[in-house]
Amino acid sequence: MRITLKQLAIFEAVARSGQVAKAAQRLNLSAPATSMALGELEKQLDTRLFERVGNRLRLNAQGSLLLPLATQTLQQVEQIEHLFSSPEAQMSGTLSVAASSTIGNYLLAKSAVAFSQQFTNAMVDLNIANTQAVIDAVVEFRAEVGFIEGQCLDSRVSVEPWHKDRLLIFCHPGHPLAGKVVTPDMLAGHAWVMREPGSGTRDYFINAANALAMRPVEKFNFSTPDAIKQAVRQGAGLAVLSELTLEKELQRRELALISVPELTLARQFYKIRHKSRKPTALCSAFELFCQRFLALSPTS
């Protein structure tokens, strides 16, 4: 037995109006289509629901039994439709976001908290990993949207510019090159503390350095900016990180910059999502919120 909502709506309309023609007009249907649907409902239930009295249809005992159930069902469906079409519903639930390390720790973590404070029925589940792990999360539908620092060449993923960033080369304040303007060849032979393989920061820097034949010598690699900064403070070598991660240490003079004018270290951040997945209203709202909250733009 497959009773449809349309059949129940037609039954209720006929019961309320007492005539097929009036019910059809109320539902914006033709009289024959209304009569046919009512007949199909009676056939499925294997019982008559109305008795004809003159030119009107009056509920019999079976119809009177069905009417409150039909009305309740239709009202519940209307409540569901209203609930999920309301702005409050669209701003409810959990949004899965993946972001590479710099973006996640220094931009999106504070954005996620502020967003959830404004939209109290929403929660942003932020997973912070390296660029390749973020791409994998989007491809495998574990994240609705991702934010990365490196390149994404996966044909299943759409890629949009999101924000620009700048990498800075830094060292211990007592290093011979601290605070100096140098050429790429002056960095030859120095040890480097690098991000781990799969990191967008690492890939971008190595590509830029190799284009100038620098070929940095990797002595250590770590998966977090804090570990890299700690290693440099201990004199482990030179390093490169986003300017977003270095503000406090530079202000406190715990680290020092090295300027290499020939080395272009401005890079693009990207927003990615699976091509077969349309953004939800919650996701679109979060993206717009981040743009305003962080005062970012793709060309900033």
Side-chain angles (χ1 to χ4, degrees):
M1 182 186 299
R2 294 290 179 182
I3 299 173
T4 68
L5 293 174
K6 180 180 178 181
Q7 289 173 333
L8 292 179
I10 287 172
F11 164 74
E12 186 192 46
V14 173
R16 301 299 183 193
S17 65
Q19 292 183 335
V20 170
K22 288 183 178 180
Q25 185 177 15
R26 176 181 171 185
L27 297 172
N28 198 26
L29 297 171
S30 68
T34 302
S35 180
M36 182 179 297
L38 184 60
E40 289 174 351
L41 176 61
E42 290 182 324
K43 183 177 180 180
Q44 286 177 297
L45 295 176
D46 194 25
T47 186
R48 291 173 61 86
L49 300 171
F50 295 92
E51 300 296 338
R52 183 171 290 278
V53 180
N55 65 345
R56 297 183 64 83
L57 293 175
R58 182 177 296 173
L59 287 172
N60 60 19
Q62 297 294 348
S64 297
L65 182 64
L66 176 60
L67 181 59
L69 298 176
T71 300
Q72 182 182 19
T73 300
L74 293 169
Q75 287 176 343
Q76 289 175 334
V77 170
E78 185 177 350
Q79 289 173 356
I80 292 172
E81 291 175 342
H82 176 74
L83 175 64
F84 286 92
S85 64
S86 65
E88 293 81 5
Q90 293 179 355
M91 293 299 102
S92 302
T94 300
L95 173 65
S96 296
V97 177
S100 52
S101 178
T102 300
I103 299 174
N105 286 305
Y106 293 91
L107 294 176
L108 291 190
K110 58 185 178 182
S111 300
V113 172
F115 182 79
S116 297
Q117 288 173 335
Q118 180 170 332
F119 301 98
T120 55
N121 292 325
M123 185 182 78
V124 179
D125 181 10
L126 177 61
N127 177 36
I128 300 174
N130 64 35
T131 290
Q132 188 55 54
V134 173
I135 295 171
D136 292 342
V138 170
V139 168
E140 296 167 7
F141 297 98
R142 289 183 282 109
E144 182 173 343
V145 64
F147 297 86
I148 58 175
E149 303 157 37
Q151 293 291 322
C152 175
L153 302 177
D154 195 305
S155 61
R156 296 167 291 182
V157 175
S158 65
V159 182
E160 299 176 35
W162 186 63
H163 173 54
K164 283 191 179 295
D165 180 44
R166 186 163 63 110
L167 298 180
L168 300 176
I169 296 174
F170 61 98
C171 61
H172 187 280
H175 194 281
L177 298 181
K180 293 187 177 181
V181 178
V182 304
T183 59
D185 61 287
M186 293 174 65
L187 299 178
H190 288 279
W192 287 80
V193 184
M194 305 286 288
R195 282 290 306 274
E196 82 287 1
S199 159
T201 296
R202 175 194 178 96
D203 292 344
Y204 187 88
F205 172 68
I206 288 178
N207 290 337
N210 286 345
L212 297 176
M214 282 177 52
R215 293 179 177 80
V217 178
E218 180 179 333
K219 187 172 182 181
F220 301 100
N221 73 69
F222 298 104
S223 61
T224 67
D226 285 343
I228 292 173
K229 288 184 285 188
Q230 179 59 42
V232 172
R233 282 196 291 262
Q234 291 178 250
L238 310 182
V240 59
L241 287 173
S242 165
E243 63 181 342
L244 294 169
T245 72
L246 294 168
E247 182 179 359
K248 293 180 180 178
E249 288 80 7
L250 293 175
Q251 287 179 346
R252 294 194 293 254
R253 298 185 179 180
E254 296 173 355
L255 298 170
L257 296 180
I258 301 173
S259 177
V260 189
E262 296 173 60
L263 192 60
T264 303
L265 293 178
R267 61 173 178 172
Q268 181 73 57
F269 288 161
Y270 299 95
K271 177 178 66 180
I272 63 173
R273 62 166 40 90
H274 201 289
K275 288 180 178 178
S276 67
R277 187 172 190 173
K278 293 183 179 180
T280 61
L282 183 61
C283 184
S284 297
F286 178 69
E287 292 173 13
L288 180 59
F289 179 88
C290 289
Q291 182 178 332
R292 293 174 176 173
F293 179 74
L294 299 169
L296 303 180
S297 69
T299 56
S300 62

